[in-house]
Amino acid sequence: MSRLEALYRRFPTLLMARRNLTRTTARTTLAVLGIVIGVVAIASLGVFGSVLQTAAVGNLGDIGNQVVVGPNSEEGVTSLSERDVREIREASGDASVVPVKQSRGTVEYGGESTVTSVYGIENPGAAFNASSGRIPEPLRGGALVGAALADDLDVRAGNSITVDNRTYRVRAVLTEQGGFSPLNVGGGVVVPTEQVNATGFQQVVVQTETGTEANATARAIRASVNDREERVTITEFSQITEQISSFFDTLSLFLIGIGSISLVVAGVSILNVMLMSTIERREEIGVLRAVGYQRLDVVKILLTEASLLGFLGGIVGVGLSVVAGVAIAQVALGDPTAALSPEAAVYYLAGFFFGVVTSAVSGLYPAWKAARERPVDALRS
């Protein structure tokens, strides 16, 4: 005896439901197709929203773990002092602290010149990586060139450039920074702090391990530096990433709502299929009732049929949704495996669940209508 036969003997209702569905293959196929379309719509639109969220947050880089401290111009503070930086370091604990001086300067190389941003950073290795050369730590001599500026002037590590009539040897060309960063030196140059023509520091970037630590660090800096006077402004980028994630969560729910309209249509189709089935099988149902089947048994048979439609449609729909999700992730992120993440799996399961539930709910009325009919009336028809 095969496993399928054993299953049917153990659950005769399942056998009867399968047999009844195979009697009207075309009608059953159309009903399943409606569920498939609804499941694909829900799951694919949900995955689409999830992929968009991943792309948006990914483009922001690690800013959720960063706190940017700047002078409070509203209180007349134009720059941060050495004392301010020292207090920020003490309040930041083990976090990476990068004080930044900034001015405008003229960079010359190979007979070409351009006016760009000049940054003074003592520990640039905490904020940047090198695509060529090596970033000295600390930066006491030489210069670091941003990727965009290096391309414009055709500068390489080891070349000599002139910044405001001062010659520097290029120690490294910095890696191009993807996404958003509060400290982006792509078109600028980094030199030792003491050689930047600026009074005080324009900002301090604090890098923590997590967004939670960034929030705690921001509170500690606010309590320490702004204890007596509101000297600094503090920007927490974790709030931005949370707002973006919240927006895309709402967008995903909206898209799922649109996709669920397809399931409503599919539910109406199943309702029609089950009603037609009960009308055509009135005599059969009457015989079942006459030989001892109870109303609940009839309800079970018809609900099993409706649930089978939803189950089959859900399985096929999830399979097609995975294919669609992989295509969406490949186009949007260049990473098809993003469609197989736990976040995406939630939408596949949601589509399958709604497909089965919609089918079962659609079968309730036909099942109730068939079960309440008197056997004598059914046999007379």
Side-chain angles (χ1 to χ4, degrees), residues 84-317:
D84 293 328
V85 172
R86 185 166 58 253
E87 291 181 352
I88 292 171
R89 288 187 188 278
E90 292 174 356
S92 300
D94 296 331
S96 172
V97 178
V98 183
V100 181
K101 286 185 176 181
Q102 184 175 351
S103 67
R104 300 289 291 178
T106 302
V107 178
E108 301 177 63
Y109 176 75
E112 297 184 27
S113 65
T114 183
V115 178
T116 187
S117 296
V118 180
Y119 300 88
I121 304 175
E122 181 180 356
N123 54 333
F128 308 109
N129 294 314
S131 61
S132 63
R134 185 181 66 85
I135 301 176
E137 201 64 41
L139 181 61
R140 298 300 186 190
L144 310 176
V145 179
L149 180 63
D151 288 340
D152 292 341
L153 299 181
D154 196 23
V155 174
R156 299 290 181 270
N159 296 152
S160 293
I161 62 173
T162 301
V163 181
D164 288 340
N165 299 319
R166 186 191 296 266
T167 301
Y168 297 90
R169 182 172 178 269
V170 177
R171 296 297 188 89
V173 174
L174 301 178
T175 302
E176 183 177 356
Q177 294 173 278
F180 173 80
S181 172
L183 187 57
N184 196 328
V185 189
V189 61
V190 180
V191 299
T193 303
E194 64 275 6
Q195 295 175 7
V196 174
N197 185 24
T199 302
F201 297 89
Q202 277 63 56
Q203 66 176 343
V204 176
V205 180
V206 181
Q207 179 79 37
T208 62
E209 292 294 331
T210 65
T212 302
E213 291 181 11
N215 182 261
T217 300
R219 293 198 304 268
I221 294 173
R222 191 175 288 111
S224 175
V225 184
N226 286 345
D227 184 27
R228 298 180 180 178
E229 177 188 3
E230 296 287 333
R231 287 189 52 79
V232 300
T233 59
I234 300 174
T235 304
E236 299 177 62
F237 290 96
S238 59
Q239 297 176 353
I240 297 177
T241 56
E242 289 174 0
Q243 291 173 358
I244 290 175
S245 296
S246 177
F247 167 77
F248 279 104
D249 286 340
T250 303
L251 177 63
S252 294
L253 290 176
F254 174 74
L255 293 175
I256 288 175
I258 294 176
S260 60
I261 295 175
S262 301
L263 271 182
V264 173
V265 175
V268 173
S269 174
I270 290 177
L271 176 62
N272 178 63
V273 168
M274 298 306 299
L275 279 175
M276 292 296 296
S277 178
T278 55
I279 292 173
E280 293 174 355
R281 292 156 51 197
R282 287 185 68 191
E283 184 177 350
E284 176 186 339
I285 293 173
V287 171
L288 291 176
R289 292 293 312 283
V291 298
Y293 274 70
Q294 302 299 315
R295 289 182 176 181
L296 183 59
D297 296 325
V298 176
V299 170
K300 286 181 180 179
I301 293 173
L302 295 177
L303 283 183
T304 301
E305 293 180 23
S307 299
L308 276 176
L309 291 174
F311 182 81
L312 293 174
I315 290 293
V316 176

